[in-house]
Amino acid sequence: MNMVQALNSAMDNMLERDPNVVLMGQDIGYFGGVFRCTQGLQGKYGEHRVLDTPIAEGGMVGTAIGMAVNGLRPVVEIQFADYIYPAIDQIVSQLARLRHRSAGSFWAPVTIRAPCGGGIRGGQTHSQSPESLFTHICGIKVVMPSNPYDAKGLLISAIEDDDPVLFLEPKRLYNGPFDGDPDKPAVGWGEHPHGEVPEDHYGLPLGIAKTVTQGDAVTILTYGTMVHVCVAAARALGVSADIIDVCTMAPLDTDTIAKSVQRTGRCVIAHEATRFSGFGAELAATVQEECFWHLNAPIQRVAGWDTPYPHAFEWSYFPGQNRVIAALKVALES
Amino acid sequence: MGRRSRLHIPQAPARPGDRPDFSYLETSPAGAVARPNIDATCQEIEPISAALIRVLGDDDSAVGPWNPQLGPEDLRTGLRHMLMTRIFDERMLRMQRQGKISFYLKSTGEEAVSVAQAMALRPSDMLFPSYRNQGLFFARGCNPVELMCQCLSNTGDMCKGRQLPVLYHWKEGNIFTIAGNLAIQAPNAVGWAMAAAIKDEDNIAATWLGDGSTAEADFHNALLFASVYQAPVVINVTNNQWAISTFQAFAGGDRGPFSTRGLGLGVPGLRVDGNDFLAVHGVTQWAAERARTGAGPTLVELVTYRASAHSTSDDPSRYRPDSEWDDWPLGDPIERLKKHLLALGEWSERQHHALQSELEENFKTAWQEALGFGTLTQGPQLSPDSMFDDVFKEMPPHLAKQRQLLRKTES
Ligand SMILES: Cc1ncc(C[n+]2csc(CCOP(=O)(O)OP(=O)(O)O)c2C)c(N)n1
Ligand SMILES: [Mg+2]
């Protein structure tokens, strides 16, 4: 399966086994979503379980919270992560805090799905990676898969989780892995081991990072599209890298990260989002706290530049293999 | 058994395979709707707020109180700008199909909205468009080469390669920068208008958003602030029936026309045949004069039809009948104005063809000129360095450092 099919399969499984699961979003019902993630689901489960909504992200999340408080398990699709901002007050002030401020009396198991990231010539309003805005909020989990197998398992766990989850989908990976080189012919998920996705229900635990490649020279902490870029960069440089796909940014799997860096003594952090106050800053701080006495070199960060995502300079902006390699060299040589 | 509530799920009138069905559309004959005084109260206007204002009759004549009484020269100018918009859209779509530009979005079928409205406003009035108002730029005299360069993200691009095609701006022409985020510009227009009032100037602001976009809170914020402060603004809802695959009923369009959304706040509304150039002009003139003379804001709904796909990323045959546009009861705005001019004896088929060829020729030349500034992949290129400009007025040290790093990795 590609990632779109894997996500579709996760929602299909959940709609089937739990009558409380409902989907909401713009163009998701009759049309099946602009990325086709919900194709066929309204036909199968009806218009009362797969709801087309008005174009009002604040209204979508706000009503999803109400539904969740009344026993449903809504999955809201934000058409692009770049359009989540009208919902920010509902997410920050209600969704993430209900449980805490009502001392456990109220909670809202809402999952918010949002395609994120660039590499599709989408300009500044179809390319953003806003994860760190949300990891800074206490009470909402933040997840980003990097392949179809993980996408399905993590989405199922997100929907089943009793806490709210922001589930970010790197849209550049929907149809195939991407190593950061836009000039190479596109490849599908067919050949990739993680393109193998069971039809049946399965969950993957939230809050657990995954080791993508094992190595001992350096640890690379990354997630989403950048996982594939980092694998290609390490291979190109011929370096034995321990590449960790963070998978869940909040809550963070500090253990896996610390064990790896304590072993390698070197750490490069890579994400597509802008650098300043990006999630890499949290990762770097964590590594510093957990591994300071094991570090042989300063931690390196590779990230999008601190500018809006430019349409024309997508590939100068995107932190491709060159930038990862440059950071690896610094980490390895110092 | 007692009765229970059940969700109402709005339905599109027709889906692929169905016959188009526009029986839901309430119209009225040309000339049938009264024209209130410029300073009438919202209550006085309310009785006509849901009626469809039309000027151009079935016999191609202009009738009724909303006729703006434009001379033939103005009518020909309007026709020219609408035709420009259409031909430009066609050409740019072809360029996208050929891979010259990354994305495009047409306004086909909606040309009267932008062109007639821009003509009814003063050049010093500030416009806050959505992404489907390219006609505003032509009506205000923007050089098409500038628009083409923006679509090409080349060295002549007003946005310096930073924006998706079509998200233009034109500072000299008083047209605000277009955002991809729906409805976000509406409160900005109201604020601009409030500033004009604070500064005691008589310029007004106008903004446009789609039927689907009225769902966003920003539309309601705009109405509220316009109402509370009686800001000199015209808020236009272009109801082209569709928001990508979603029928306008999902924005509440089956509960009453968008023109009536402001009534509870005391913002009068007018609903106009958006494919009737003269009616759009007349209504806009009325609303503009009302705003300019201190009588307050107006909400205008322009009833039209999105004849083409939402964008080059969209395939409407998946969600609506292919032939809907042929059956659209309000016709084609260009055809209708052309027929009116023909009926007046102020236009001929020969002139029309000549105009068409002239515009096509002009755009061909303009395109060549635009290509001279490069494309995304060929010819002169903007320096990627430039993406660090304008994040702030003065570049902070961390951006200067990143620019340095970029130069190093790209060299
Ligand atoms: C805040 C926000 N949410 C979602 C989108 C995605 N989107 C782009 S256009 C569109 C439909 C808009 O329809 P309408 O307002 O009717 O304008 P039209 O395209 O018909 O001119 C949607 C949902 C967006 N651009 N911004
Ligand atoms: Mg619309």
Side-chain angles (χ1 to χ4, degrees), chain A residues 286-310:
Chain A
T286 303
V287 170
Q288 188 279 138
E289 284 163 2
E290 303 289 326
C291 315
F292 182 79
W293 302 109
H294 297 82
L295 284 172
N296 298 318
I299 303 163
Q300 298 297 307
R301 276 191 287 164
V302 185
W305 308 121
D306 288 319
T307 78
Y309 216 114

Side-chain angles (χ1 to χ4, degrees), chain B residues 390-404:
Chain B
D390 304 320
V391 179
F392 296 97
K393 187 172 170 195
E394 315 246 349
M395 191 182 299
H398 76 285
L399 284 181
K401 192 171 155 196
Q402 290 183 11
R403 187 176 61 180
Q404 210 46 47

Side-chain angles (χ1 to χ4, degrees), chain A residues 48-71:
Chain A
H48 290 251
R49 296 201 53 210
V50 181
L51 292 139
D52 279 311
T53 66
I55 306 171
E57 291 76 9
M60 288 153 63
V61 175
T63 53
I65 293 169
M67 290 182 196
V69 167
N70 198 3

Side-chain angles (χ1 to χ4, degrees), chain A residues 58-83:
Chain A
M60 288 153 63
V61 175
T63 53
I65 293 169
M67 290 182 196
V69 167
N70 198 3
L72 299 187
R73 231 165 242 282
V75 182
V76 178
E77 176 181 298
I78 302 289
Q79 201 164 83
F80 288 86
D82 317 60
Y83 301 136

Side-chain angles (χ1 to χ4, degrees), chain A residues 55, chain B residues 110 131-132 209-213 238-244 246 248 306 310:
Chain A
I55 306 171
Chain B
E110 307 177 25
Y131 48 69
R132 217 181 288 283
L209 69 167
D211 44 273
S213 304
T238 308
N239 177 4
N240 61 9
Q241 314 306 314
W242 291 96
I244 311 184
T246 306
Q248 39 106 345
R306 195 196 78 210
H310 171 75

Side-chain angles (χ1 to χ4, degrees), chain A residues 153-194:
Chain A
L154 290 170
L155 181 56
I156 284 177
S157 298
I159 298 171
E160 290 176 344
D161 202 288
D162 281 343
D163 284 316
V165 179
L166 174 64
F167 191 88
L168 293 164
E169 303 166 1
K171 65 177 96 69
R172 178 69 212 215
L173 300 182
Y174 273 158
N175 294 315
F178 175 64
D179 71 4
D181 182 350
D183 297 325
K184 268 200 204 151
V187 286
W189 283 108
E191 306 290 297
H192 196 279
H194 290 114

